[in-house]
Amino acid sequence: MSMVITSENSTVERREILNDAQKQRVEELVSKMTLTEKIGQLNQISPSIVGGFEVPFEELVEMVTDGRVSHEEFERIMSSAKQDYHEDMIEAGQVGAVMVSGAALFNRLQKIAVEKSRLGIPLITGFDVIHGFRTAFPIPLAESCSFDEEVFERTGRIEAKEARACGIQWAFSPMLDIARDARWGRISEGAGQDPLLGAVFARARVRGMQGERDAENHIDGEHLAACLKHFAAYGAAESGQDYNTVSMARSLLFNIYLPAFRAGAEAGALTVMAAFNDLNGVPCTVNSFLLRDVLKKQYGFKGFVVSDANAIKECISHGIAEDLKDAAKQAVNAGMDMDMGSGAFSGSLEELVRSGEVKEETLDEAVRRILTVKTALGLFEHPYASEEEAAGYGELPAEHRAAALDSAERSIVLLKNEGDILPLGKDKKIALVGDLADDGENMLGAWSALGRGSESVTILEGMQARSSRVRYADCGGPEKCFDEQKFSACAEGADVIVVCAGELNKHSGEASSRADITLPGEQRKMIEAALGTGKPVVLVLCNGRPLALGWEAGRVPAILETWQLGSEAGNAVAAVLFGEYAPSGRLSVTIPSVTGQCPRYYNHPSTGRPGSRSKFTSRYLDAPVEALYPFGFGLSYTSFAYSDFEMSEEGDTLTASVTVGNTGKTAGEETVQLYMRDCVASIVRPVKELKAFAKVRLEPGESRKVTLRLRKADMGFYDDVMDYHLEDGTFEFYVGGDSENCLKVTREVFFRQ
Ligand code: GLC
């Protein structure tokens, strides 16, 4: 029989963040606080940069983002600029959180809060630590292609250690936005398009970042508070246009866009950041259904919710608030605990409480949550950062570089390898062309924190460290015209041409959506010139989002998707090109042929007219509906065969077993994927849903039986009122090395009451 688990019955019981003694101390502190001091805890400020620039600070930030000013140059300018850190407000107890990096600076502000303010409540400082801090790891979109939970956790652990040492106790990550539209620039920051992979990424990152509690029930000095963002469904911005409106059925929200956040909450994440966008007409910042009903009640979240930057004030632009006071009222009553940078809370809450429009108990609840996180971080006992430790990050620690290299190698996806051009022999004379091959800065990707391009190993460096037969020409790039002469001089006499093409950092990340996601600039001319030589051509892509690759895929025999791999990019790419590391990455997103196919994703409903053969089916006249390269896809330097696929059932668990064999000549790592389809249900269900995956390394000729388990409880779906349905019926199960080429087994499944 079918089962419906109502939303009340599926509430997540969250482990308490504090023990009773710690809770008692928080209550005592709240009871002593004045209204001004309570509002102060809800206020996060950034330093105001004053004077000293030829250009306004916002423009300077833009110049850094688009690479016109290097990170090093920015740090030099900032070190000389006068900044107002609002010390007076901190001393008056009107600030609860800041956004600074640097142990000495943080300690200076912390000293004011702890030693000069009336109650000595410590500050917390937050920073965008998204994929590394001093050591730059691959962008999360790249790392998600490793399908490797240990890699996700290790990156979280290392970035936390580096950031905490430099005075940061709170990282605005992991970014968990499911993204199906490659036009959206922020697809680079998340774990792709699948809810299960997103949930695995969320749990692992939170574990890595927050670690376990120490004897005092504190997060220790090498870990920090995570922040699940952006809550919620920011990745579904209409047309892939950043900050755009989002409308969707609640069932789609619960089944696709929220599972990663639920997993992060279950893993004990201490904070959540609300998203800029409106959801079904109500901005997330003032959306009590999301913040109170789903996050705090249903998911049992006991940490605090912070707005995104200036987002409370932006509710005026959304047309949902009359003015800043109205926005502040709606936000705090909807469950927003902290205001990032808009000044709405600090400017209006006192009046709102006095007038009764906001209850003081509502503020007390927000203060309690914020003090809970500060207590969990041990900030009352250990408020200061170690400046000696921070100084230690002048250089990137070797073991951090090693971890970045391992992550980068595992993030690379081999899309095409006609004629087994790859791996390249060291005896080959190689012409390496394309400016990105010698560009450390644009290996960092968006949100690279304190990563430095000068510390990145470039692709040119990585290749020349392995072969003396590599010649290079900077004959074209994302924003540089193609130089035919430079190209020809380099290609002359070469055995193989490696074209490095892609995007700059600025082409993805926040406020960086693109309406045409083909290779920018004249890079195709560089590819055409390479193809025109008649020599073997390898295309190495360095980009922050899936590109529309139909043109390239139809012409270039070998294509390596390397994304933006960070500090060790060049070593990872060269290791794969020369066969030191056999590519094992699998796509966590779908790669389209043309931009017009976006959004494109594997777990789509069938529609009433599936298939695209005949005219009257769900198709285009001028483009395929099939993915160019589907979710889960990636080649190795060997090949794998699947056989003997069986599904068995015992109690509440189904087990998939399949034999996977390495049918090639070299060792390789396969990601075995299990999908299912609920063939008939009370709402349409996707044609495939990823339900489990496992990585297996096989020597040439080796076969192994792989088993994947699936709890029946995980086979259901949510309806529009967040009730969870497990419905008896026919299910199709698929297993394979990607979401399309699979073996299939069909069986009836019944769910006991
Ligand atoms: C930005 C981003 C968010 C980031 C925050 C602080 O606008 O949306 O991801 O954490 O502001 O920099």
Side-chain angles (χ1 to χ4, degrees):
M1 74 207 66
S2 300
M3 291 166 65
V4 177
I5 302 161
T6 59
S7 52
E8 285 65 42
N9 301 341
S10 65
T11 301
V12 173
E13 277 317 308
R14 289 288 324 113
R15 181 166 58 101
E16 288 295 330
I17 295 175
L18 302 181
N19 58 38
D20 291 346
Q22 290 171 320
K23 279 193 221 173
Q24 182 57 33
R25 278 204 297 277
V26 167
E27 288 311 320
E28 284 163 5
L29 188 47
V30 173
S31 67
K32 293 176 192 162
M33 293 171 75
T34 65
L35 182 56
T36 302
E37 289 163 338
K38 291 176 182 175
I39 293 168
Q41 286 303 306
L42 279 53
N43 186 28
Q44 176 177 36
I45 60 168
S46 304
S48 307
I49 315 297
V50 287
F53 299 117
E54 302 78 55
V55 296
F57 177 66
E58 288 66 27
E59 192 176 324
L60 178 65
V61 171
E62 260 191 38
M63 291 165 82
V64 176
T65 310
D66 69 19
R68 282 178 286 160
V69 169
S70 72
H71 279 244
E72 286 85 350
E73 175 63 6
F74 180 65
E75 284 176 12
R76 186 195 62 72
I77 294 171
M78 293 300 287
S79 60
S80 63
K82 184 175 173 344
Q83 308 202 31
D84 176 358
Y85 293 100
H86 311 291
E87 284 91 333
D88 50 342
M89 288 177 68
I90 294 173
E91 184 169 343
Q94 295 171 340
V95 178
V98 292
M99 284 173 71
V100 296
S101 78
L105 169 58
F106 174 72
N107 285 341
R108 181 162 68 79
L109 302 179
Q110 186 70 303
K111 196 171 173 60
I112 297 168
V114 169
E115 297 180 13
K116 289 193 175 176
S117 75
R118 187 178 76 90
L119 291 171
I121 299 174
L123 296 169
I124 183 172
T125 186
F127 202 80
D128 288 292
V129 186
I130 314 291
H131 53 101
F133 181 67
R134 281 284 297 111
T135 306
F137 284 80
I139 56 172
L141 176 61
E143 191 168 274
S144 65
C145 293
S146 71
F147 278 74
D148 193 321
E149 190 166 359
E150 287 171 20
V151 167
F152 303 157
E153 179 167 350
R154 184 187 56 199
T155 297
R157 177 168 46 76
I158 292 174
E159 64 186 2
K161 185 177 179 187
E162 293 187 348
R164 192 74 195 263
C166 296
I168 290 160
Q169 309 89 22
W170 176 30
F172 304 135
S173 75
M175 191 270 215
L176 303 176
D177 300 309
I178 293 293
R180 298 172 147 181
D181 194 325
R183 293 171 294 180
W184 190 52
R186 303 200 75 167
I187 194 171
S188 68
E189 302 172 43
Q193 68 182 210
D194 181 74
L196 174 72
L197 183 58
V200 168
F201 182 81
R203 264 194 300 275
R205 249 320 192 269
V206 170
R207 270 199 316 269
M209 294 168 73
Q210 297 191 167
E212 294 303 324
R213 299 296 174 82
D214 64 17
E216 296 170 287
N217 193 33
H218 293 152
I219 285 180
D220 69 26
E222 295 192 351
H223 295 86
L224 44 54
C227 181
L228 311 179
K229 74 180 186 184
H230 304 82
F231 195 67
Y234 183 16
E238 197 169 280
S239 316
Q241 191 178 315
D242 205 1
Y243 313 119
N244 206 2
T245 185
V246 173
S247 293
M248 68 172 68
R250 283 188 173 178
S251 56
L252 184 64
L253 176 72
F254 301 142
N255 291 317
I256 297 292
Y257 291 88
L258 289 187
F261 287 94
R262 182 183 179 118
E266 287 170 345
L270 289 177
T271 73
V272 167
M273 183 185 292
F276 285 123
N277 54 283
D278 74 275
L279 177 62
N280 299 331
V282 181
C284 299
T285 304
V286 296
N287 194 315
S288 62
F289 167 73
L290 276 178
L291 303 183
R292 289 196 184 284
D293 301 348
V294 176
L295 181 64
K296 295 181 175 180
K297 180 168 176 281
Q298 181 73 13
Y299 294 176
F301 175 67
K302 296 181 179 358
F304 71 77
V305 181
V306 64
S307 72
D308 202 336
N310 207 39
I312 296 177
K313 184 173 183 180
E314 290 174 9
C315 289
I316 301 168
S317 309
H318 273 291
I320 202 93
E322 291 282 342
D323 52 26
L324 203 52
K325 181 178 145 193
D326 184 17
K329 177 178 74 174
Q330 292 189 49
V332 78
N333 284 336
M336 181 63 68
D337 300 309
M338 186 182 281
D339 170 6
M340 180 187 285
S342 85
F345 281 5
S346 55
S348 310
L349 283 183
E350 187 137 358
E351 187 187 340
L352 287 163
V353 170
R354 302 256 183 257
S355 69
E357 293 172 87
V358 171
K359 294 191 180 71
E360 186 154 0
E361 296 75 59
T362 303
L363 262 60
D364 291 350
E365 175 56 18
V367 172
R368 194 171 289 117
R369 287 172 176 267
I370 292 165
L371 295 182
T372 294
V373 173
K374 292 184 175 181
T375 302
L377 284 163
L379 290 176
F380 286 92
E381 294 80 2
H382 316 286
Y384 299 108
S386 152
E387 294 175 34
E388 301 71 54
E389 268 184 57
Y393 284 103
E395 292 295 314
L396 302 186
E399 66 272 25
H400 294 186
R401 273 195 180 272
L405 173 58
D406 181 62
S407 171
E409 286 173 339
R410 293 175 181 283
S411 303
I412 294 172
V413 184
L414 179 58
L415 299 177
K416 191 178 176 187
N417 192 18
E418 231 158 53
D420 291 339
I421 293 177
L422 293 177
L424 300 173
K426 300 257 174 101
D427 59 331
K428 297 286 184 198
K429 283 183 281 186
I430 297 168
L432 175 63
V433 298
D435 295 30
L436 283 173
D438 189 25
D439 182 344
E441 187 68 29
N442 285 292
M443 295 295 110
L444 297 177
W447 298 107
S448 54
L450 268 57
R452 296 175 191 152
S454 58
E455 294 168 335
S456 301
V457 177
T458 67
I459 292 170
L460 175 59
E461 288 163 342
M463 290 181 74
Q464 289 185 329
R466 291 164 173 81
S467 162
S468 59
R469 317 194 79 182
V470 177
R471 245 196 345 231
Y472 166 65
D474 58 342
C475 56
E479 286 189 335
K480 190 172 159 196
C481 296
F482 173 53
D483 184 325
E484 168 81 43
Q485 272 188 317
K486 271 190 178 180
F487 168 81
S488 303
C490 181
E492 182 66 36
D495 299 318
V496 59
I497 300 175
V498 174
V499 182
C500 195
E503 295 178 314
L504 303 175
N505 295 340
K506 72 174 203 178
H507 288 122
S508 61
E510 185 173 355
S512 306
S513 293
R514 292 177 63 208
D516 171 358
I517 56 171
T518 56
L519 277 172
E522 295 189 345
Q523 299 180 99
R524 275 188 182 169
K525 283 187 180 175
M526 196 160 49
I527 297 170
E528 276 174 327
L531 294 168
T533 64
K535 302 169 194 264
V537 176
V538 177
L539 175 59
V540 172
L541 293 167
C542 302
N543 41 292
R545 58 143 60 69
L547 296 171
L549 293 173
W551 184 90
E552 291 76 11
R555 293 165 175 81
V556 182
I559 302 176
L560 200 61
E561 177 54 84
T562 75
W563 311 109
Q564 287 154 338
L565 294 172
S567 304
E568 285 293 312
N571 281 328
V573 172
V576 168
L577 287 175
F578 288 116
E580 288 167 25
Y581 183 84
S584 62
R586 298 290 181 268
L587 290 175
S588 62
V589 285
T590 299
I591 291 184
S593 300
V594 295
T595 305
Q597 285 183 299
C598 293
R600 192 61 35 188
Y601 48 97
Y602 84 94
N603 46 354
H604 55 78
S606 164
T607 77
R609 297 200 173 192
S612 56
R613 303 280 171 266
S614 65
K615 177 169 177 55
F616 298 99
T617 56
S618 178
R619 60 196 282 274
Y620 300 108
L621 291 177
D622 55 356
V625 287
E626 293 77 16
L628 177 63
Y629 298 109
F631 175 87
F633 175 80
L635 299 175
S636 175
Y637 287 150
T638 187
S639 50
F640 299 100
Y642 285 72
S643 58
D644 310 324
F645 173 33
E646 291 175 353
M647 288 300 294
S648 59
E649 183 175 328
E650 190 176 336
D652 291 344
T653 304
L654 278 78
T655 301
S657 71
V658 66
T659 300
V660 185
N662 179 340
T663 52
K665 300 186 179 65
T666 60
E669 210 166 349
E670 173 68 319
T671 300
V672 182
Q673 301 155 46
L674 173 67
Y675 297 87
M676 81 168 201
R677 176 179 186 177
D678 184 347
C679 299
V680 179
S682 50
I683 58 173
V684 296
R685 305 297 305 128
V687 294
K688 280 203 184 81
E689 298 173 68
L690 180 69
K691 301 309 281 183
F693 58 86
K695 298 185 78 162
V696 59
R697 177 177 176 77
L698 297 172
E699 294 303 318
E702 181 186 2
S703 280
R704 195 176 307 167
K705 185 176 176 183
V706 177
T707 54
L708 294 165
R709 283 184 177 67
L710 167 57
R711 293 184 323 141
K712 281 186 172 181
D714 295 331
M715 293 174 63
F717 58 88
Y718 290 95
D719 61 18
D720 273 353
V721 291
M722 219 167 13
D723 285 346
Y724 188 69
H725 293 250
L726 290 163
E727 297 180 355
D728 297 356
T730 307
F731 285 77
E732 291 169 350
F733 297 93
Y734 299 85
V735 74
D738 65 58
S739 58
E740 287 187 358
N741 305 295
C742 299
L743 298 179
K744 180 173 99 172
V745 160
T746 302
R747 69 178 287 134
E748 299 303 303
V749 179
F750 301 95
F751 301 92
R752 277 183 299 111
Q753 186 59 33

